[in-house]
Structures are given as C-alpha cells and as structure tokens.
DNA sequence: AATTGAGTTCCAAATAATGGAACACTGGCA
DNA sequence: TGCCAGTGTTCCATTATTTGGAACTCAATT
C-alpha cells in the first residue's frame, strides 16, 4: 500500500478521496516541503483542480503551508495517529511481552504488521539509550528485506503469497537484499518450516535481527516481533540462540490475544 | 478573501473531504471500535451514503475492519504521521534543546504547538523511566489548562486571542481548571508580561509544569516548551526557579530557527 | 415460517469536482 | 521604467461523483 512499486494498475475505486490521498502521499513522501509547482508536475493535474484539492487538505489540517508557501504534512495527522496507536489492541496486548523480551536480551525489540506489501512498525522497546521515539514506530518498510516482514510472509497461504510476490519490485538496499521472488520464496518456505526468520543486513548495512511470526485467530493481523541490533554485537550464533525466546514471546502474545479477544472471532 | 469566519458550528468548506474527515474523527475519538449502526446513529446520514464513505476509507487504509466487523482507525494513519513527524523542522531544531533541559532538570520536557484551540504535542523527552513512546506525542490537549497552551496563547495578538477565547468551552478537568474566559484572559496577560506560564494541576490532578512560549518569525508556529512532573516533587518554588532555564531554552530554540530557516522568511 | 436487526446494493436526482482560460502578483532584467 | 517569465489564484460552464430513498440479502430469534 505504499508508494513503492505499484506502477501499472493503481486504479483505486475511492473516487475523490483517492485523488486526495495521492496528494497526501506525494507531500509526506517528499524529502522537503513542496511548492505548488512541484506538486503540479508530480501530480499531473490541471492547476485549478490541484489548487482546490490542496486548499481542502490545508483546511482540514492534513497539510500545512510553511513560511515560504510550501506544502508540508499537517499536524492533524499526528493527532489521528496518536489515537489510532493508543487504542490498538494488538499493540496493547503485545506490549508487556515486548518489554520482557527486551529485558531478557538487552537489545531493541520491534512489533510490526503486514499491510499490503509493507511492514508497519507498531511498537518498539529500545535497549539502553534514551529512546528517540517515533524513530521506527509508524514507519513502513518493505516486507522482503526485514525479519518481521519475512516472518509475516511465511504465514500467508500459498496463493496470497504468490500474488503478493508477483507485485513486488525489489530494491537492493544492501549487498544481501533479495533480488528476486525466487530466492525470497525459497527462504520463506524455510522460515515457515523453522518458525523464525533472520535479517542478515538485508535492509540496512550493519543491522541484523531475528524475528518470529505473530498472527490473530481471524488473521486480521499478520505480523511479527523481532530482536534487532548491530551486526558486530549480534553474531549469527547469538541470533540463533535468540530464536527460541522470540518464538516463545510470540506464542505468549498469541495466547493473550486468544484470552482477551475471545476464542472464536 | 473568505470573510465568513464566524462559523458557529463546524461548517467546513471542504466538500467531500470534510464529510469523510468527520467520520474519521468519529472513529478515532471512540473508545472502542464502532459498528456500522453506531456510526450511522452518530453521523446521521443515509445508510447508503455512509456505507460507500466507509468503504472508501477502508480501501484507502484510513480505517480498518476488525474481526467482529467493527470499524477501527487504520494503520495507514501511523505511516503518514511517522513521516510528518520525522521531517518536522520545528521539532528537529528544538530536539537538542529539549534534551539539554531534561538533563538539567531531570524531569520530563515537552514541545507543543497551537493548532486551533488545541495544543498538539510534537515531542517529549522523558526523565528516568524507559519512555512509553507516543504516550504524549501527537496528543491534542486543550490550550486553556496546559502550561504550553497558556504560554502559546500569550503570544497571540489581542484580537485573535479574543476570537479564540470566545469559541472555547471550558471543561473542568480538576478543581483548578479555568472555568471562564475572564480568569483565563487575566492569567494570559500576566504570562505575556512575565514570559512564562504555570500549570498548577489544571489538566490532570497531581501534575504541574512551568512553560515558556516559542514561536517562529513568520508565526507559522506558535507553541511552547515545558518541564512537567508530579506536584509532590515540583513545588511552586522549584517551578519558579525553573522558569529561567525554560525561557533560556526557548530563546535558544528561536535563535536556532533564525539561523536555520533564514532571517527574513 | 415469520420477524427483527444488521448490512449491502441500486439508480435517478442533486451536488460537487473538473479543467481550461483569464487574472493577479512577484522579482528579475534590459 | 516597462517588459517578461515564473508562480499562484479565481472563475464558471461542463462533466462526473455523490447522494439518499428504497428494495434486497443474510443471519439470528421467536
């Protein structure tokens, strides 16, 4: 669902809303605030139309105009997100288990869910240093080069998996990033067997992790948890050792969800 | 020039988008996921219309359907917010100064900006305990009962202030919450003179703070920073002492903005 | 089998969005 | 100064989307 590789068929059936969301995507994905003309070029729409659309987004607080008349993401988005996050049941249930895992290992622990082709990080419990909050939470990362992503993919039924893989476009973030659906699929099969996944510096050089899949009974959530850290500290041997506690924590989260959400949703 | 500024109710001129945002507001403000019928009652719209609107929001990922067919805030909101937050210039500039202030006092430090009648918290640097992230960030609080809020109001030109106060409705969160525009206005005048504001358990019992106003040259941002903590630990005497460091930190933030954003935006 | 409640689909009428063009504002630059 | 190019804003007939009432499905209850 991210702006990643959806080149061709992007015909969303959401009418006016869809067009506005494309604009929101443009502005929030930009590396700096955009001027009207920049957006005009990117969006490829008539000036008058674009102007009114942007006005509406401004008036709703979804976008803001900075001092130089450039368009930046609006703070209302923060407000929405804060509430969306605070009440998220999956996150609330997982939280204590993430903390336990962090205590046991001393490293950073993540919780993420699969949304479209991306992993969205729902929570993070950081090791030592005074957390730079939001640093990861809410971020969307590709599913094919993150531990949580590959763990999540291993939960998908064969058909959905093939469909999803077919739509992927592989960006080579590091030397070890997967470059094709074939190698990825092979690894995902392995992950499905063993019940845990590694990220061997596939998304970011020097960062690796071990992850385990987590899902809700009704499959509303398909995601995972991971222990992440610098490669120099986290040897493959150590990661392999941690596969067990990560899987145990994942199991406890799912058990808690069964209790809290009722057995037969 | 749209001179219809006296909107008694919320007659937003944002067409289709405005109607959809009302729905998003309903769902994100609810304490639990809402069923279709709940929203139907709250929104007061024809069934067919509401159904299509919700479908569009679902398809865009702004809302999600939980296992029981109830509507919950969508995770796409998190994705938008994460980017909006990460690139926010005001926050980036203020960040080191917030940390400094936290180091100097050992208490929690907040950064907030005024948006409409609310303060939206942009950042937080917490004292000791491993931060519960997002806990405050993104939250919208009333301007009339928070230190940052009152500090921000003290920056407004008289006319805007009167307009804003006229539109406020006062909720008594604690015994010391302002109950009328008159007493509030008196305090704001005082704050404007002295350059700092207190919150004496006005929003939450047992929590108080001292805050100083911060603004950007072009007045795009009007906000403040605060030192917050439990009343038993933060005596009025201590808060008064901290008024100076808070004002100094605020000054440094504004100086950095001048440097970074250029002198005459 | 009949009833109720919840959610979904349909389509003519009402409404809002579209897009081309004209209009303003600004800051060079000859 | 006057001209020009680049930017952003406004207008309005045309076009497409949204609206809303009603009919329909589905499942659980009586």
């Amino acid at each position: 669902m991210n702006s990643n590789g959806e080149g061709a068929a992007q015909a969303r059936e959401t009418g006016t809303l869809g067009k506005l969301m494309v604009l929101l995507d443009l502005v929030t994905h930009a590396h700096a605030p955009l001027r009207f003309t920049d957006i005009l070029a990117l969006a490829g729409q008539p000036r008058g139309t674009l102007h009114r659309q942007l006005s509406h987004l401004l008036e709703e607080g979804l976008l803001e105009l900075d001092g130089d008349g450039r368009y930046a993401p609006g703070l209302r988005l923060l407000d929405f997100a804060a509430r969306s996050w605070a009440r998220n049941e999956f996150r609330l249930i997982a939280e204590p288990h993430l903390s336990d895992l962090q205590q046991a290992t001393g490293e950073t622990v993540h919780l993420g869910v699969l949304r479209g082709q991306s992993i969205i990080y729902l929570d993070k419990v950081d090791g030592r240093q005074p957390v730079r909050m939001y640093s990861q939470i809410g971020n969307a990362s590709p599913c094919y080069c993150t531990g949580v992503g590959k763990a999540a993919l291993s939960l998908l039924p064969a058909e959905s998996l093939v469909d999803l893989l077919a739509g992927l476009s592989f960006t080579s973030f590091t030397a070890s990033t997967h470059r094709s659906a074939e190698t990825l699929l092979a690894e995902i099969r392995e992950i499905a067997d063993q019940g845990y996944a590694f990220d061997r510096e596939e998304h970011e050089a020097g960062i690796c992790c071990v992850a385990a899949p987590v899902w809700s009974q009704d499959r509303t959530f398909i995601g995972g948890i991971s222990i992440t850290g610098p490669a120099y500290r986290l040897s493959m041997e150590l990661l392999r050792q941690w596969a067990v506690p990560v899987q145990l924590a994942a199991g406890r989260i799912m058990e808690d969800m069964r209790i809290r959400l009722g057995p037969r949703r």
Side-chain angles (χ1 to χ4, degrees), chain A:
Chain A
M1 249 181 231
N2 242 333
S3 74
N4 299 355
E6 56 222 73
Q10 176 56 356
R12 284 191 279 207
E13 272 310 312
T14 49
T16 306
L17 177 62
K19 296 163 200 160
L20 292 172
M21 295 306 283
V22 169
L23 293 181
L24 246 194
D25 255 341
L26 276 178
V27 174
T28 58
H29 274 101
H31 295 297
L34 297 170
R35 289 172 319 165
F36 180 86
T37 316
D38 300 331
I39 305 178
L40 186 63
L42 289 167
Q45 290 201 78
R47 304 154 74 79
T49 301
L50 181 65
H51 189 261
R52 180 184 34 75
Q53 288 171 334
L54 291 174
S55 304
H56 285 179
L57 289 169
L58 284 177
E59 191 159 349
E60 288 294 341
L62 300 176
L63 291 181
E64 298 189 357
L65 224 37
D66 76 2
D68 301 329
R70 293 173 310 183
Y71 291 85
L75 293 188
R76 180 128 181 247
L77 293 169
L78 273 192
D79 183 35
F80 278 135
R83 284 198 296 271
S84 148
W85 189 81
R87 302 211 214 320
N88 185 283
E89 235 170 353
F90 189 32
R91 195 206 109 244
L92 286 165
I93 292 170
E95 191 173 302
H97 301 289
L98 301 182
S99 295
D100 289 350
L101 198 54
Q102 190 277 321
Q103 290 285 322
T105 63
E107 296 292 343
T108 299
V109 171
H110 282 119
L111 169 70
V113 296
L114 187 66
R115 278 291 176 276
Q117 306 180 342
S118 301
I119 288 296
I120 295 188
Y121 287 102
L122 264 187
D123 210 343
K124 172 188 180 181
V125 182
D126 208 301
R128 319 269 171 247
Q129 71 264 40
V131 182
R132 201 75 292 275
M133 328 158 207
Y134 254 91
S135 63
Q136 193 69 261
I137 295 176
N139 267 10
S141 298
C143 60
Y144 58 87
C145 62
T146 55
V148 170
K150 293 187 291 181
L153 291 183
S154 78
L155 296 172
L156 291 179
E159 200 182 337
S160 328
L161 180 58
V162 170
D163 287 354
L164 195 152
L165 293 188
L168 283 180
S169 69
F170 293 83
T171 303
S172 295
F173 295 99
T174 75
S176 44
T177 309
H178 277 287
R179 265 141 241 267
S180 74
E182 286 70 37
T183 61
L184 178 60
L185 183 58
E187 191 189 352
I188 290 170
R189 293 222 170 98
E190 202 183 325
I191 293 166
D193 283 346
Q194 60 194 14
Y196 56 86
F198 296 116
D199 164 5
R200 310 164 201 227
E201 310 190 37
E202 294 162 44
H203 188 29
E204 201 172 335
I207 303 291
C208 57
C209 87
V210 55
V214 181
W215 66 95
S216 60
Q217 296 101 303
D218 57 8
R219 299 262 161 167
T220 302
F221 284 111
I222 286 191
I225 59 177
S226 70
I227 307 175
T228 309
Y232 72 83
R233 209 193 301 150
L234 277 60
S235 64
M236 276 309 296
E237 192 187 2
L238 187 54
L239 286 180
R240 251 187 283 272
Q241 280 177 31
W242 280 346
V244 176
V246 173
Q247 285 181 285
L248 287 176
R252 283 187 221 106
I253 292 172
M254 292 191 274
E255 178 56 22
D256 276 10
M257 286 203 288
R258 217 173 342 266
I259 295 167
R260 175 126 156 215
L261 303 181
R264 61 181 176 99
R265 290 166 53 125

